Amino acid sequence: MYNPSYTSASLTSAKIQLVKSLFYYTIDKLYCCTNTNPSRREWLFMVYSQLNSKSLIKWLITFFVPIIVYLIPTTELYTAPLKIFFVITTFIIIVMAFEFFDPIIPAIMLPTLYMISGIVNPATAFGSWTSTTVWMIFGAMLLANVLDECGLLPRIAYWCIYKCGGNFTGIMFGVFFAGVALNFVTFCQAFIIMMVFGYGIVKALNLDLSKESALLCFAAMLGGEGAPSSFMYNPGYLGLAEEGIRQVVPGFFAKWYEMIIYNGPILLFFILFLFILAKAFNTKSIKLEGGKEYFQAKYQSLGPITNNEKKALVVLIVLMVYLFTNPIHKYPAAYGFMLLPYVLFLPKINVGTKESIKKINFSIFFFIAGCLGIGVVGGALGFGKLISGLVTPMLQDSTPLFALLVMMFFGMIGNLFMTPYAMMAGLSLPFAQIAVDLGMNPMATVMTLVISTDMVFFPYEVAPYLLMFGFGKISMGHFIKINTAKTLLTFVFFAAILYPYWNLLNLIK
């Protein structure tokens, strides 16, 4: 007979109790039959009893998913080393997502497990530590601390907040458009500066880890990296793509403005997505202390610009000039962040202090370095070949829309295990070949691949996002929820708006 009091909550409780009973029964049988030390059995019972239902489910997922990955049989493409790589990586990614430990623990475990498992040598497992990206991020973290200490970062932040009207929604869009503008004039080289700027805005507003801080961090990430990398000319991305396409179409050359023409509409999608977030998080109800007048007063309270601020401003201007002139001198943007912040510590300048170094979150820095190793190891083990091998036979005789959506999907998956640059280098050639076989313009596949480099779920997938996460103003939960929503809606926007738009421009055929 139906009992109305037996609700879904009681069903859940019954299921949890059943799992516990099975666990106790299994432990009891295993340890009794093998005459194992009883004290160890009691210890396992004690550990298990301290787990609440949520943590129990999380730990079950953490171990269950890698086991499923391990059970997938190997093939000529899905080699044994790649299988072990996926097992280790999925385990660590889930541990990171559930935030079981301080970030430094999974960060050290990851390359260590790669090395101990024997799938790569120590130099490859810890290869991220020798990349310019890691030390660029360290320089950016140090620069942010120095600018904050000397007062220049809050001065810039208060001025921008005041100019944006002193309301939260205005600030959020102001941060986004500032990132788009800076990247336009620097050819997508302002991504690190924008993470520092976004952090300065959040800090100036005295926001703790919250939905408000998460929204502003996301606006800085979207304007500083996501939007520009999806539709603006990036010499690195397009250069790698051209090399791949030339293997299929000799003499191919992409003009710098073509990315803006073909992928420009995605900027409207990002703006629309920010409006959706503003509605979902009800940003109109977020009241900032004192409003516009308050931030004007805070700015004025800083007084005249100090000598230390002037010195820091000069270094900042030199850094921006270095980024602006990147197409001329051709040196990587990373070099600027690896050198100029340390100028502020030189004698007679003395803007940087010991406190600037001590305030760096080294736990997060290790986390960043460890995560970047995923792309290094994945590339070394042939993850790009696996993707191309899976995609090519799947798309024989398919429609252009289906083919591009599948490429976008595999680009999204590739992001989990490769750096964006590795994706452009490794997937441009097979994707271009598929396009030619289907009678499509290979430029369409490149534009699709470019969009997929920002379809992320976790901070580690893109270096600037890792830096923003490292500042400690956006939680893992908020990052995953917001970016998952953006990624899923990107598929919808592509099929409904961007693909028809490309047809109008005759890009597909």
Side-chain angles (χ1 to χ4, degrees), residues 9 23 102 145 193 233 249 264 351 370 444 467:
F23 179 86
D102 185 280
N145 286 347
I193 281 289
Y233 173 68
V249 185
V351 178
L467 174 60

Side-chain angles (χ1 to χ4, degrees), residues 61-301:
I61 293 171
T62 302
F63 286 101
F64 182 74
V65 174
I67 290 172
I68 295 297
V69 173
Y70 183 78
L71 293 175
I72 299 173
T74 57
T75 64
E76 187 178 344
L77 289 173
Y78 185 59
T79 61
L82 267 177
K83 174 193 278 193
I84 300 302
F85 165 73
F86 285 126
V87 169
I88 293 171
T89 306
T90 51
F91 173 74
I92 295 297
I93 287 174
I94 296 170
V95 167
M96 291 175 181
F98 286 145
E99 299 179 289
F100 289 130
F101 313 111
D102 185 280
I104 198 171
I105 295 177
I108 295 174
M109 284 175 61
L110 186 64
T112 303
L113 289 174
Y114 287 152
M115 179 184 65
I116 292 174
S117 65
I119 58 175
V120 289
N121 58 35
T124 304
F126 291 89
S128 61
W129 287 94
T130 62
S131 71
T132 56
T133 303
V134 167
W135 302 108
M136 171 184 71
I137 289 175
F138 183 85
M141 295 172 82
L142 182 61
L143 179 64
N145 286 347
V146 174
L147 295 179
D148 185 43
E149 278 187 24
C150 75
L152 184 61
L153 191 60
R155 184 182 295 276
I156 295 171
Y158 284 136
W159 183 84
C160 291
I161 293 169
Y162 168 68
K163 290 298 180 180
C164 287
N167 67 82
F168 189 88
T169 305
I171 294 168
M172 186 172 72
F173 278 95
V175 169
F176 170 75
F177 284 113
V180 172
L182 278 177
N183 275 287
F184 182 77
V185 297
T186 61
F187 295 95
C188 296
Q189 300 300 309
F191 46 90
I192 296 295
I193 281 289
M194 276 309 302
M195 302 307 111
V196 175
F197 173 70
Y199 165 70
I201 294 290
V202 174
K203 203 166 185 300
L205 292 172
N206 293 317
L207 295 176
D208 295 323
L209 194 62
S210 60
K211 71 173 185 180
E212 291 83 5
S213 66
L215 286 173
L216 291 179
C217 287
F218 178 76
M221 290 188 289
L222 193 62
E225 169 66 20
S229 67
S230 297
F231 80 96
M232 289 184 187
Y233 173 68
N234 183 324
Y237 277 16
L238 211 54
L240 291 170
E242 285 175 340
E243 287 297 322
I245 296 176
R246 286 192 195 108
Q247 304 301 313
V248 181
V249 185
F252 178 86
F253 180 77
K255 299 177 180 64
W256 71 268
Y257 54 81
E258 286 184 314
M259 278 194 65
I260 297 177
I261 293 174
Y262 295 137
N263 281 6
I266 204 165
L267 177 62
L268 300 176
F269 165 69
F270 291 136
I271 295 171
L272 177 62
F273 185 70
L274 280 180
F275 273 113
I276 293 172
L277 285 180
K279 288 290 184 182
F281 286 87
N282 194 18
T283 56
K284 284 187 176 181
S285 67
I286 300 173
K287 302 298 181 184
L288 300 178
E289 184 180 351
K292 183 177 180 179
E293 292 73 19
Y294 170 79
F295 292 105
Q296 182 182 18
K298 291 288 286 185
Y299 175 74
Q300 291 173 345
S301 70

